[in-house]
Amino acid sequence: MTASDAVGMALTYRVEIGEPSEGGVWWKVSNLGSPRQVAAALTELAVRVERDNRGGTDSGRRRYCYEVAWPEGVVLELFRGQVESVLIPGELRGLAVTIASSTTTDSDPGGGSL
């Protein structure tokens, strides 16, 4: 059980991946859920982005931003910048682990595993 699960609070998250300029958007997703749900969604997005990377011929830097926040607006994790497209799946998986582990209570010795 995570800290927010115990009190019934959901996290909100938003992820955008696009062209290096303010042009086209490749992925734009947002939702809310328990930390475990958010971590699972980020892990699933990592798989999809990885699949897109393998299928495409265009590699290089992408505009990448994410924000994870508590309902009252307190930001838990935030990033805005440009990243090599092949690194984004690993970044998303790392974010998922961070979300799951940073919201774990002492009563959950499993480290918030999914």
Side-chain angles (χ1 to χ4, degrees):
M1 176 181 292
T2 64
S4 64
D5 290 337
V7 295
M9 293 174 57
L11 294 171
T12 60
Y13 72 93
R14 179 180 55 83
V15 177
E16 291 184 22
I17 305 167
E19 298 301 322
S21 66
E22 292 298 316
V25 175
W26 197 26
W27 282 96
K28 183 176 183 177
V29 295
S30 62
N31 210 335
L32 68 123
S34 72
R36 288 181 184 202
Q37 290 170 323
V38 170
L42 293 171
T43 301
E44 180 180 341
L45 181 58
V47 170
R48 292 171 182 252
V49 171
E50 194 168 53
R51 190 178 312 140
D52 285 353
N53 282 341
R54 281 195 301 252
T57 57
D58 183 27
S59 61
R61 298 184 72 74
R62 295 282 180 248
R63 183 173 36 86
Y64 174 56
C65 64
Y66 61 78
E67 180 177 307
V68 181
W70 294 107
E72 64 276 0
V74 176
V75 175
L76 184 59
E77 291 288 331
L78 171 71
F79 175 82
R80 287 189 180 96
Q82 291 192 17
V83 176
E84 291 292 326
S85 62
V86 297
L87 300 177
I88 294 174
E91 293 283 333
L92 289 167
R93 287 185 180 98
L95 178 60
V97 168
T98 299
I99 296 305
S101 63
S102 68
T103 56
T104 301
T105 65
D106 290 338
S107 63
D108 183 13
S113 59
L114 300 174

